[in-house]
Amino acid sequence: GRTHPFLVEPLGNLGEVAHGEGRPKDAQARLRQAIAVAEGALGPAHTDLVPLLTLLGRTELELGQPQRALADLERAKLLSRPSQPAYERGEGAWQLSRVLAATGNEPLRALALARESTGLFAVAGARGRERGRQVEAFLGGAKGQVGQQ
């Protein structure tokens, strides 16, 4: 049925593809569906929710829904564990940093999370190093802004 745990990965993949194709509303719907199935099958505190919540938060920020994004990304951060892949943890920290920066909430925490993500991306292979360069660009532009907020 529509709530079988084997649907979590395909629904998450559909959400990721929709996001990559610039269809954030479709991505949001698929990711919410995947999260609902995962919560039903695995419980609300399972670490498999982390990448889904992270992409959902990123998508919500892009849709102009920063409060929803903040809630989902804070939840992802709480569920994240050191045993998870470095890229996954780095992406969670980076997206939470972006939401905090976009909302003007906790600018020092936003910078700390961005810095945390660069350390994680540095050990996450070529894909991580590329993402780390994007974060470094953000950090370069943010240095003068923290004291002003």
Side-chain angles (χ1 to χ4, degrees), residues 2-62:
R2 292 181 157 196
T3 60
H4 195 282
F6 288 152
L7 289 176
V8 174
E9 187 173 353
L11 287 168
N13 289 343
L14 288 171
E16 190 171 350
V17 168
H19 181 268
E21 290 179 345
R23 297 182 290 118
K25 287 187 178 189
D26 289 340
Q28 185 181 42
R30 295 297 158 255
L31 291 165
R32 283 185 179 158
Q33 194 176 9
I35 289 166
V37 172
E39 288 172 335
L42 305 170
H46 199 281
T47 57
D48 284 0
L49 292 166
V50 172
L52 298 169
L53 288 164
T54 300
L55 185 54
L56 179 59
R58 178 180 176 185
T59 301
E60 289 166 337
L61 180 61
E62 292 166 4

Side-chain angles (χ1 to χ4, degrees), residues 100-117:
L100 291 172
T103 61
N105 293 333
E106 304 181 70
L108 295 177
R109 182 171 177 231
L111 284 173
L113 286 163
R115 288 185 183 114
E116 176 187 330
S117 74

Side-chain angles (χ1 to χ4, degrees), residues 91-137:
E91 187 66 16
W94 169 229
Q95 295 305 324
L96 182 53
S97 173
R98 289 182 62 227
V99 168
L100 291 172
T103 61
N105 293 333
E106 304 181 70
L108 295 177
R109 182 171 177 231
L111 284 173
L113 286 163
R115 288 185 183 114
E116 176 187 330
S117 74
T118 61
L120 291 163
F121 287 139
V123 297
R127 181 177 173 212
R129 286 189 295 279
E130 174 59 33
R131 194 62 152 160
R133 284 191 281 279
Q134 295 171 358
V135 178
E136 290 293 341

